[in-house]
Amino acid sequence: LVGDRKLGLIKYVMSLMNGARLGVGAQSVGLAEAAYREAFQYAQEREQFGKPIMNFPGVYEMLANMRAKTDAIRTILYETARCIDIYKAIESVSKERAITPEERQKLKTYQRLADIFTPMLKLFASEYANQITYDSIQVHGGSGFMKDYACERMYRDCLLYTSPSPRDLSTARMPSSA
């Protein structure tokens, strides 16, 4: 027997899932940042009609939206990690000594917040990273799909983290047994 009896699903499995969600969220933030930087650099270097494509309103707006989404998911990541750190620290202290009622309330509050933020982080970070890497390919134009550019690989990597939508699941076909 590993752990306490009758706590397997709730405590241990959900803890593992939330740890995985935090990891996926952090990796998604990293992919989004890298894709934004690739697009930004390309938009500065690539010239069309005698000026960098970054100076065109459509490209500039796309880059601005990519930056805003990247900053948003990074903020959710930091807040999620902060909540987890606080409740884990109090939990660790509770194993060494009895905690005060105020500390117990703080533990419950931050544990609830972490339980709310963690799936939210995974959802938004993976979806936004997918959008940002796709937009990075769009900034690169048709050549963005070529293996010469890192944004192509980043987009494929993001697809691993994105959850399928219910529509995708309902239209998926099971392989035939024949």
Side-chain angles (χ1 to χ4, degrees), residues 164-178:
S165 70
R167 181 181 53 82
D168 294 337
L169 293 175
S170 67
T171 59
R173 295 189 181 260
M174 296 300 290
S176 62
S177 59

Side-chain angles (χ1 to χ4, degrees), residues 3-165:
D4 296 330
R5 191 175 279 284
K6 296 188 180 185
L7 290 179
L9 177 64
I10 303 299
K11 184 169 180 153
Y12 303 119
V13 173
M14 291 308 290
S15 176
L16 285 171
M17 295 219 12
N18 280 343
R21 287 178 179 140
L22 182 65
V24 167
Q27 290 169 348
S28 295
V29 170
L31 278 168
E33 179 67 34
Y36 168 75
R37 289 181 183 186
E38 285 284 323
F40 187 84
Q41 181 179 356
Y42 183 83
Q44 283 182 317
E45 294 171 358
R46 173 78 166 111
E47 289 192 3
Q48 193 69 33
F49 307 112
K51 61 182 180 179
I53 63 170
M54 177 186 253
N55 294 343
F56 293 106
V59 175
Y60 183 83
E61 181 182 4
M62 189 179 291
L63 289 167
N65 286 335
M66 291 166 69
R67 177 81 264 160
K69 287 177 182 178
T70 302
D71 289 344
I73 59 177
R74 181 178 290 109
T75 301
I76 296 172
L77 171 64
Y78 288 166
E79 186 61 19
T80 304
R82 186 181 77 85
C83 291
I84 291 171
D85 283 349
I86 291 171
Y87 101 75
K88 293 273 186 182
I90 297 171
E91 198 173 60
S92 177
V93 167
S94 73
K95 292 177 183 173
E96 297 172 10
R97 64 167 174 84
I99 58 174
T100 65
E102 294 84 21
E103 289 172 324
R104 184 169 309 285
Q105 184 59 40
K106 193 174 179 182
L107 171 71
K108 287 181 181 180
T109 299
Y110 281 102
Q111 191 166 13
R112 273 192 224 115
L113 286 172
D115 289 344
I116 291 168
F117 284 138
T118 305
M120 188 186 312
L121 166 68
K122 192 273 178 196
L123 171 68
F124 287 116
S126 63
E127 289 297 325
Y128 277 179
N130 192 5
Q131 292 172 16
I132 292 164
T133 55
Y134 180 78
D135 287 347
S136 180
I137 289 173
Q138 296 305 306
V139 169
H140 283 75
S143 61
F145 286 103
M146 306 296 282
K147 292 191 186 276
D148 299 342
Y149 293 101
C151 59
E152 179 269 340
R153 179 190 45 81
M154 290 177 205
Y155 182 66
R156 283 186 290 120
D157 290 346
C158 274
L159 294 177
L160 296 172
Y161 301 128
T162 308
S163 300
S165 70

